[in-house]
């Protein structure tokens, strides 16, 4: 059984910053590609960012590129998302994701990942 636990999120003003963190808890120890997806009310879930298990490769959606940074945490199978210069349209529930298969980040951005957390709310409002 694989569980993802997210932390962070909350309220920020436009132009502000927030950070999210996530860790994988699994019965068997393994390596996971990890990422973040988000879903705003009335919209489909969308890919935000992903990072390979080695941390060497990252991918971002065009809407967040240059503003968000995904990174691996110091502990194995942890991931962080630093969100800067937040915009109103960034408001959504953010879901941490993880996948044990060896697919590309491009694949995951289109098809999603195996596992998701329960989500954490990010509100952007003036």
């Amino acid at each position: 059984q694989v569980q993802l636990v997210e932390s962070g999120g909350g309220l920020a003003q436009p132009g502000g910053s927030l950070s999210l963190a996530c860790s994988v808890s699994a019965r068997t120890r393994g390596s996971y590609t990890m990422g973040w997806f988000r879903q705003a009310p009335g919209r489909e879930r969308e890919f935000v960012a992903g990072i390979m298990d080695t941390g060497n490769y990252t991918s971002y959606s065009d809407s967040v590129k240059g503003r968000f940074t995904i990174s691996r945490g110091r502990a194995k199978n942890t991931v962080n998302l630093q969100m800067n210069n937040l915009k109103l349209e960034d408001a959504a529930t953010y879901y941490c994701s993880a996948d044990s298969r060896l697919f590309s980040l491009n694949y995951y951005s289109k098809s999603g990942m195996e596992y998701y957390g329960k989500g954490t709310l990010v509100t952007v409002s003036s």
Side-chain angles (χ1 to χ4, degrees):
Q1 185 177 2
V2 177
Q3 292 184 320
L4 281 66
V5 179
E6 302 122 331
S7 61
L11 173 65
Q13 294 183 335
S17 299
L18 286 172
S19 61
L20 306 179
C22 175
S23 62
V24 175
S25 174
R27 188 170 295 179
T28 57
R29 189 171 176 84
S31 296
Y32 296 88
T33 297
M34 298 187 72
W36 294 91
F37 288 73
R38 69 186 181 186
Q39 187 169 20
R43 302 189 66 176
E44 293 187 356
R45 184 181 63 195
E46 64 174 351
F47 173 79
V48 175
I51 186 167
M52 298 299 289
D53 60 336
T54 59
N56 291 345
Y57 298 98
T58 59
S59 178
Y60 298 91
S61 66
D62 289 342
S63 61
V64 307
K65 197 173 296 182
R67 300 186 298 118
F68 290 13
T69 302
I70 189 170
S71 61
R72 304 294 295 210
R74 298 187 68 178
K76 187 176 176 66
N77 293 328
T78 60
V79 66
N80 303 304
L81 185 69
Q82 178 64 39
M83 304 182 291
N84 296 329
N85 191 20
L86 284 161
K87 302 179 179 181
L88 293 174
E89 53 264 38
D90 293 320
T93 298
Y94 283 69
Y95 297 91
C96 179
S97 60
D99 200 296
S100 61
R101 302 168 296 178
L102 299 178
F103 295 151
S104 68
L105 291 175
N106 183 56
Y107 171 87
Y108 293 131
S109 71
K110 294 178 171 61
S111 303
M113 295 190 180
E114 284 182 296
Y115 308 106
Y116 292 89
K118 294 182 179 180
T120 185
L121 183 64
V122 170
T123 303
V124 184
S125 174
S126 55

